[in-house]
Amino acid sequence: MSKLHVIYFHGLGSNSKTAKVGMLRQQGFDVSAPDIPMDPEEAEKYLIDFIKKHSKYAIAKGATKIVFVGTSLGGYWAARMGEKFDAAQVLVNPAMNPEIQLQHFKGKYTDFASGTEKTLHPDVVKKFKLFPTKGDEGNRKYIIAKHDAVVKPHKPPKGSDVTHVDSADHSGTEFWSTVHDHLKDMASNKKA
């Protein structure tokens, strides 16, 4: 059985201390989680460095496979970084087109993690257009709530590996066992 190391990418208004990281650890997974800067230019540079550093650490600890897991905007980053590092990705309700999907968050919003008010500048949202994903579906698993209450559910390309969940939970917390089951299959080599 391969030993997975999960790098978890949080969504807008969250951080690396999200309950989902704790749930992954409780389920026995070795997990790293970055605090992702909002500006995509800063985030891109930071995430590349973070992944290089934590991948070396994970391999030194015996990991045989690195998997990127992300929720919402973190799903976008997991996909983008998965393409750069040729790593498997599990995307939960991903905001795959943030330059469009973040439009209704421009201005003031509440950071769910800290409860503080933050500002999402329109120029930052526009910048995401400069950082597209390629649509490399070979390493990608989508887990999508059919009735997502926050972001219009993403429609993966035909032939993609998708599990639809009868839920409105954008964060994926109420169906996190689906993520766990998929990662467990990956660890036992039932899935790539």
Side-chain angles (χ1 to χ4, degrees):
M1 180 154 118
S2 83
K3 184 175 177 194
L4 289 184
H5 179 78
V6 175
I7 297 182
Y8 179 79
F9 299 81
H10 65 79
L12 176 69
S14 189
N15 63 32
S16 64
K17 293 167 183 55
T18 176
K20 288 175 279 236
V21 170
M23 287 188 281
L24 287 167
R25 287 183 177 137
Q26 286 174 341
Q27 294 160 341
F29 295 106
D30 187 36
V31 183
S32 308
D35 282 312
I36 306 169
M38 190 61 233
D39 183 292
E41 197 169 5
E42 290 174 41
E44 178 99 353
K45 291 174 188 168
Y46 171 74
L47 290 173
I48 288 169
D49 289 343
F50 181 93
I51 292 163
K52 286 178 181 176
K53 177 183 172 188
H54 285 270
S55 295
K56 286 178 187 173
Y57 161 80
I59 290 165
K61 281 183 62 182
T64 57
K65 190 182 290 187
I66 309 283
V67 179
F68 297 161
V69 177
T71 305
S72 190
L73 184 57
Y76 157 82
W77 282 116
R80 182 149 172 89
M81 292 297 114
E83 291 171 354
K84 287 194 171 302
F85 287 90
D86 193 27
Q89 309 131 48
V90 179
L91 313 179
V92 181
N93 294 327
M96 296 299 283
N97 300 295
E99 70 280 3
I100 296 167
Q101 293 163 312
L102 292 177
Q103 288 295 324
H104 65 279
F105 290 103
K106 288 187 301 191
K108 304 269 185 215
Y109 71 95
T110 301
D111 184 295
F112 304 115
S114 67
T116 60
E117 193 172 86
K118 292 192 173 184
T119 301
L120 178 56
H121 297 281
D123 291 344
V124 169
V125 174
K126 282 181 194 171
K127 276 188 190 181
F128 278 97
K129 199 169 199 156
L130 303 172
F131 297 89
T133 60
K134 297 176 192 164
D136 176 17
E137 298 302 309
N139 281 334
R140 199 168 283 169
K141 167 70 175 178
Y142 294 93
I143 301 174
I144 298 176
K146 291 180 186 176
H147 315 288
D148 189 333
V150 177
V151 173
K152 184 177 177 182
H154 176 68
K155 292 185 180 174
K158 204 173 204 170
S160 298
D161 185 0
V162 184
T163 297
H164 287 97
V165 182
D166 192 18
S167 174
D169 179 25
H170 179 68
S171 73
T173 306
E174 73 180 38
F175 55 87
W176 201 248
S177 61
T178 305
V179 175
H180 172 258
D181 292 346
H182 185 70
L183 290 172
K184 194 173 159 190
D185 284 349
M186 291 176 85
S188 64
N189 294 317
K190 291 180 186 173
K191 300 237 180 201

